[in-house]
């Protein structure tokens, strides 16, 4: 079947589970701002329904949702240009997810590495929501007919599953209704690694706060974490090939490149032969210059929660205006009376 072309639209989401970190910023938020500035219709969502697939204290979830909204805005998302809202205010996500629960196959879900990682050895005790997470994610995207999803590399498998769901729906119902959404995994920092272990992804659930830079960290904390980041004793090489088998060094170079809107090649060209004693302070200066204003702006925005809630409500209304007709048409295709 030929795939029809759909109007370009960007969608992406982040879980409001606290500790928004440099990986989320470079792999997601910063690139969301790029797509907004390119003038592409963009929808950004705090996926609170995804967050509760593992236990969240209600008051922490409320705080994290508002703080994440503040993080989006402080990073450069303009809620008058883009649509910014929290998932639970747009019921079409879960309504579409039910349809996709009936399209996706158990075998597809069982292959998801994120489920295996998060459920761990105790999969029998994981929530049904955690297992169905990727079908809700497909619904988040396809209920807007989004064509592009900027994400970090860890989300690639879920995006492929979204494509599978769209293909199977289109095939089963002999339609071309859903676009085959493209993951956009680009830039120097699609997988920011832990500052303590270059083989592990920087993650909000890492028990060591020194493993990540949080967007709420102040300038001193950012500089200290970079100073203490694990490295090897060698100086920086004179080509990126020389970073092979040096995961911690490669990670710091990639972080520098992404923060400077540059490339690993250019960073190496400028810093070849430098010891980490010299490179780390330059990286710390750059990180503080880029991140401290975001953290200050987040703190300022968090002082007016009513303003944040108003922005999310307005975003949800605009999101529903797009999602409702797409859900209605989906129900019609499926054969629901009254749709
Ligand atoms: N380390 C990372 N490097 C680049 N991109 C990253 N993302 C997450 N970690 C990195 C991207 O951030 C967006 C939001 O992801 P999420 O809401 O699913 O957050 P997460 O994956 O739950 O974040 P963590 O820190 O990875 O959480 P835990 O510790 O629970 O596993 C996505 O675009 C993601 O790719």
């Amino acid at each position: 079947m030929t795939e029809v072309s759909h109007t370009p639209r960007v969608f992406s989401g982040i879980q409001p589970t606290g500790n928004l970190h440099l990986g989320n910023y470079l792999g997601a938020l910063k690139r969301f701002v790029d797509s907004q500035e390119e003038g592409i219709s963009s929808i950004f969502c705090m996926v609170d329904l995804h967050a509760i697939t593992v236990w969240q204290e209600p008051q922490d979830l409320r705080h994290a949702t508002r703080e994440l909204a503040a993080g989006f805005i402080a990073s450069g998302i303009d809620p008058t240009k883009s649509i910014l809202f929290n998932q639970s205010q747009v019921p079409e996500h879960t309504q579409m997810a039910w349809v996709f629960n009936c399209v996706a196959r158990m075998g597809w879900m069982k292959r998801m590495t994120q489920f295996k990682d998060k459920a761990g050895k105790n999969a029998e005790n994981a929530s049904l929501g955690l297992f169905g997470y990727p079908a809700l994610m497909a619904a988040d995207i396809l209920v807007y007919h989004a064509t592009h999803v900027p994400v970090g590399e860890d989300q690639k498998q879920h995006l492929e599953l979204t494509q599978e769901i769209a293909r199977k729906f289109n095939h089963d119902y002999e339609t071309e209704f859903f676009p085959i959404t493209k993951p956009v995994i680009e830039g120097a920092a699609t997988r920011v690694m832990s500052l303590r272990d270059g083989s592990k992804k920087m993650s909000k659930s890492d028990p060591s706060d020194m493993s990540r830079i949080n967007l709420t960290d102040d300038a001193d904390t950012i500089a200290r974490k970079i100073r203490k980041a694990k490295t090897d004793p060698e100086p920086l090489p004179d080509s990126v090939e020389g970073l092979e088998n040096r995961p911690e060094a490669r990670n710091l170079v990639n972080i520098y490149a992404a923060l400077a809107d540059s490339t690993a090649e250019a960073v190496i060209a400028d810093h070849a032969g430098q010891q980490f004693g010299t490179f780390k302070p330059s990286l710390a200066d750059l990180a503080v210059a880029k991140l401290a204003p975001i953290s200050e702006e987040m703190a300022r925005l968090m002082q007016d929660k009513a303003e944040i809630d108003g922005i999310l409500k307005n975003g949800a209304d605009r999101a529903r205006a797009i999602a409702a007709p797409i859900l209605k048409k989906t129900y019609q295709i499926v054969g629901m009376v009254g749709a």
Side-chain angles (χ1 to χ4, degrees):
M1 191 190 295
T2 52
E3 283 162 10
V4 287
S5 77
H6 289 257
T7 316
R9 179 174 286 144
V10 164
F11 174 91
S12 202
I14 298 186
Q15 298 186 75
T17 40
N19 291 338
L20 195 59
H21 55 74
L22 183 66
N24 299 136
Y25 177 67
L26 295 176
L29 282 170
K30 186 167 184 300
R31 297 176 42 240
F32 299 169
V33 177
D34 294 341
S35 72
Q36 171 187 274
E37 294 313 310
E38 281 166 30
I40 306 170
S41 151
S42 301
I43 303 175
F44 300 116
C45 185
M46 272 127 278
V47 289
D48 46 9
L49 294 167
H50 278 102
I52 61 164
T53 57
V54 297
W55 173 250
Q56 306 296 327
E57 289 294 339
Q59 69 273 26
D60 293 348
L61 180 61
R62 263 189 294 274
H63 177 82
T65 303
R66 293 180 178 128
E67 190 175 75
L68 178 54
F72 269 96
I73 298 165
S75 299
I77 294 301
D78 175 347
T80 63
K81 286 189 192 164
S82 298
I83 295 180
L84 186 66
F85 69 105
N86 59 313
Q87 189 183 26
S88 58
Q89 290 206 64
V90 180
E92 284 78 5
H93 287 239
T94 40
Q95 291 173 286
M96 186 66 97
W98 183 259
V99 176
F100 290 166
N101 280 342
C102 302
V103 173
R105 307 287 94 182
M106 294 281 285
W108 300 357
M109 298 306 205
K110 282 185 182 158
R111 283 198 292 275
M112 294 296 111
T113 53
Q114 182 171 297
F115 176 74
K116 291 188 216 168
D117 290 348
K118 292 206 167 171
K121 292 197 181 76
N122 205 3
E124 289 297 309
N125 212 22
S127 73
L128 191 55
L130 189 65
F131 189 66
Y133 185 115
L136 177 57
M137 181 164 158
D140 298 337
I141 295 164
L142 294 173
V143 81
Y144 300 103
H145 274 188
T147 55
H148 296 81
V149 181
V151 276
E153 210 175 271
D154 57 334
Q155 292 300 323
K156 185 164 183 267
Q157 195 186 33
H158 285 164
L159 264 296
E160 286 165 359
L161 192 117
T162 297
Q163 295 178 335
E164 280 308 293
I165 289 176
R167 282 202 189 92
K168 182 162 165 51
F169 182 99
N170 287 351
H171 174 269
D172 291 354
Y173 292 100
E174 299 181 354
T175 176
E176 296 184 349
F177 186 59
F178 286 115
I180 308 303
T181 308
K182 289 191 180 57
V184 187
I185 304 172
E186 286 170 358
T190 55
R191 190 173 176 80
V192 177
M193 308 309 278
S194 156
L195 298 180
R196 307 302 302 159
D197 177 352
S199 68
K200 275 173 44 188
K201 178 181 96 134
M202 186 177 284
S203 148
K204 27 175 104 138
S205 54
D206 192 314
S208 165
D209 195 57
M210 293 300 283
S211 70
R212 65 181 160 261
I213 293 173
N214 303 304
L215 287 199
T216 47
D217 285 343
D218 61 22
D220 286 350
T221 310
I222 296 171
R224 184 164 47 86
K225 286 180 175 177
I226 292 177
R227 232 180 16 253
K228 297 216 176 240
K230 186 179 166 200
T231 42
D232 57 43
E234 301 299 319
L236 284 174
D238 53 18
S239 73
V240 281
E241 288 73 38
L243 292 171
E244 233 167 86
N245 302 320
R246 297 181 63 189
E248 284 85 12
R250 191 177 51 208
N251 189 36
L252 294 187
V253 168
N254 283 345
I255 291 173
Y256 194 112
L259 284 171
D261 285 316
S262 179
T263 61
E265 285 77 9
V267 174
I268 287 293
D270 286 348
H271 299 270
Q274 267 182 11
Q275 296 290 343
F276 282 102
T278 311
F279 182 69
K280 278 181 172 177
S282 310
L283 176 57
D285 286 348
L286 176 63
V288 167
K290 297 281 179 178
L291 303 178
I294 297 178
S295 127
E296 282 161 24
E297 180 63 1
M298 280 173 75
R300 194 189 67 76
L301 290 165
M302 281 300 278
Q303 284 168 6
D304 192 348
K305 296 193 177 54
E307 169 78 14
I308 293 180
D309 292 2
I311 289 171
L312 296 183
K313 172 74 175 69
N314 176 270
D317 290 344
R318 287 155 62 210
R320 282 197 89 174
I322 301 171
I326 293 177
L327 180 75
K328 186 177 168 67
K329 178 73 185 159
T330 307
Y331 276 6
Q332 285 168 357
I333 293 171
V334 171
M336 303 298 185
V337 171

